[in-house]
Amino acid sequence: RRKLTMTIYKTTKTTFQLNWYANPYHTPLFVAQSKGWLLEEGIDLAILEACSPSDVTEVVGAGKVDMGMKAMIHVLAAKDRGIDLTSFGTILDEPPTGLIFKKYMNIKGIEDLRGKNIGYIDHFGKIMVDDLMKQAGIPQTEYKMVRVGMNVTDAIMRGEIDTGIGFTNFQRIELEELSGEPVGMLRIDELDGLGCCCFCSIQFVASDEYYKNNIPKIEGFMRALRRAMDLTIEYPDEAWDIMCRANPRLNTPLYTKIFQRTLPYFSRDLLNVERDWTKVGDFCKHLDILKNDFDQNSIWTNEHVSSTGTPSVAPVTAGGVLPPKTSPFAVTPEPVAIEA
């Protein structure tokens, strides 16, 4: 009898797990791939979409995929569960996150959530809302939490929920465009007094083992992404064209608007921010998400973030995007001496 042998194929590709389906805030990654900048670094990248965003930390942490991206709060929660990940950069900085709703619901604050069906993405979203309601003295019997995953907009449109957790630059725009109605939002960071939406910043991650054994590849990846980020921010039309060619289903007015609203939140320097990791770690401890004692600043590094490339365009408004008279960062012109 002939003995059968099987050859196990080992891919030479580097695998990268997105935190959702390919969408506008993944644009720099596709720019780096389409421009050939990753190949220049010796990286043949296979970009994988996530059917269930909740699986990303486990899949990457187990080494089934080489690298990926996930929100800061999830990276911390994974560490607490014994999934060792290293964040080696940031793609999206502090996108405002909160409860979105059609304005006719007349939701002005937490008190207006009594009797409402509230949608959440995953377990952490529920914990955040329950904590806010507890702070407001509203018992769980006076509202209903409904897990809708990333389908917050659809759930509101179908009438399954009255409000749900989403990004201001994504689900809020989506609901506004698809419903044709004005949309409001209660920002979680403002309700909780956090001062930033850093818990939803999106990080580049790898398992500790992959990270330690592939430093040259991590460095090459970050060099390519820095070039791609510069192009995305400075030449957004070109970047979006590249993204739509790679993902034709995104070539719609809705996704174009989402991309435009996402531009301010792309991380220009790709750096992890120590203040954010400290603040999010403390927030997680307040929510009792972290059961174990560890240093939240021990799971990230900026050692391999490229410093090449500088902005070639000036800000639209000096000091910020607000009119000079109202901006807290407004630049006051120096008085000009006039000769008599």
Side-chain angles (χ1 to χ4, degrees):
R1 183 179 291 181
R2 228 164 75 183
K3 186 178 179 181
L4 294 176
T5 59
M6 293 181 64
T7 302
I8 299 176
Y9 176 73
K10 290 187 177 181
T11 181
T12 57
K13 288 183 176 289
T14 298
T15 50
F16 189 98
Q17 180 74 65
L18 299 177
N19 60 332
W20 199 13
Y21 68 84
N23 69 67
Y25 65 75
H26 298 139
T27 295
L29 191 65
F30 284 88
V31 169
Q33 184 184 57
S34 298
K35 282 288 189 179
W37 294 332
L38 286 163
L39 282 176
E40 285 181 24
E41 300 290 348
I43 301 172
D44 186 6
L45 197 70
I47 301 174
L48 311 175
E49 295 182 303
C51 292
S52 174
S54 300
D55 294 338
V56 176
T57 51
E58 290 186 29
V59 172
V60 176
K64 302 298 183 183
V65 176
D66 299 326
M67 297 182 279
M69 60 171 65
K70 196 62 178 167
M72 187 181 291
I73 193 169
H74 294 285
V75 179
L76 284 162
K79 174 69 175 178
D80 190 67
R81 301 199 323 267
I83 301 173
D84 294 325
L85 297 171
T86 296
S87 168
F88 52 88
T90 303
I91 186 170
L92 207 62
D93 262 334
E94 302 181 23
T97 307
L99 294 166
I100 62 171
F101 47 84
K102 294 181 181 180
K103 278 196 173 178
Y104 79 82
M105 296 296 298
N106 200 32
I107 296 174
K108 305 292 185 182
I110 288 291
E111 282 293 329
D112 299 318
L113 297 178
R114 290 180 186 271
K116 300 292 192 294
N117 291 334
I118 305 170
Y120 64 97
I121 297 171
D122 56 26
H123 182 57
F124 304 122
K126 182 180 185 305
I127 291 174
M128 282 191 278
V129 174
D130 283 342
D131 178 69
L132 286 170
M133 300 297 260
K134 182 179 178 181
Q135 291 181 51
I138 302 174
Q140 293 187 12
T141 54
E142 294 191 19
Y143 64 95
K144 182 180 179 181
M145 297 298 298
V146 182
R147 183 164 186 166
V148 296
M150 302 296 279
N151 304 309
V152 174
T153 302
D154 289 341
I156 293 176
M157 296 282 286
R158 289 193 299 266
E160 293 176 6
I161 59 174
D162 302 302
T163 180
I165 296 175
F167 282 174
T168 192
N169 58 306
F170 201 106
Q171 287 87 356
R172 182 177 184 175
I173 303 301
E174 194 174 47
L175 181 59
E176 197 171 64
E177 292 294 306
L178 295 179
S179 70
E181 300 178 45
V183 173
M185 182 180 192
L186 293 179
R187 284 179 53 161
I188 291 175
D189 62 313
E190 292 178 351
L191 295 172
D192 253 319
L194 292 175
C196 73
C197 259
C198 39
F199 56 89
C200 277
S201 292
I202 307 296
Q203 317 303 133
F204 293 119
V205 296
S207 69
D208 285 3
E209 183 178 359
Y210 183 87
Y211 168 76
K212 291 171 184 174
N213 294 331
N214 293 274
I215 294 299
K217 186 170 286 189
I218 296 290
E219 291 177 339
F221 177 86
M222 293 306 289
R223 281 194 295 270
L225 261 293
R226 179 58 199 263
R227 294 171 72 181
M229 186 61 81
D230 282 352
L231 186 145
T232 300
I233 292 174
E234 296 181 24
Y235 303 97
D237 290 344
E238 181 181 349
W240 185 236
D241 181 65
I242 291 171
M243 185 62 177
C244 290
R245 286 173 182 268
N247 302 275
R249 60 183 168 74
L250 298 181
N251 192 15
T252 67
L254 170 61
Y255 283 116
T256 299
K257 189 171 184 178
I258 290 173
F259 172 70
Q260 292 167 347
R261 295 292 180 87
T262 299
L263 280 170
Y265 305 111
F266 281 126
S267 174
R268 166 54 113 175
D269 54 20
L270 305 181
L271 292 170
N272 282 286
V273 181
E274 182 175 0
R275 178 211 66 173
D276 293 353
W277 282 98
T278 299
K279 184 170 287 193
V280 175
D282 292 344
F283 182 48
C284 286
K285 291 172 183 175
H286 161 73
L287 296 174
D288 202 28
I289 290 174
L290 304 183
K291 308 292 184 182
N292 301 298
D293 187 26
F294 64 90
D295 180 7
Q296 57 256 39
N297 288 305
S298 67
I299 62 177
W300 62 268
T301 180
N302 285 325
E303 187 177 352
H304 312 295
V305 177
S306 173
S307 61
T308 59
T310 54
S312 63
V313 292
V316 175
T317 303
V321 297
L322 299 175
K325 289 183 179 179
T326 60
S327 172
F329 308 107
V331 177
T332 304
E334 294 183 3
V336 179
I338 301 176
E339 294 182 4

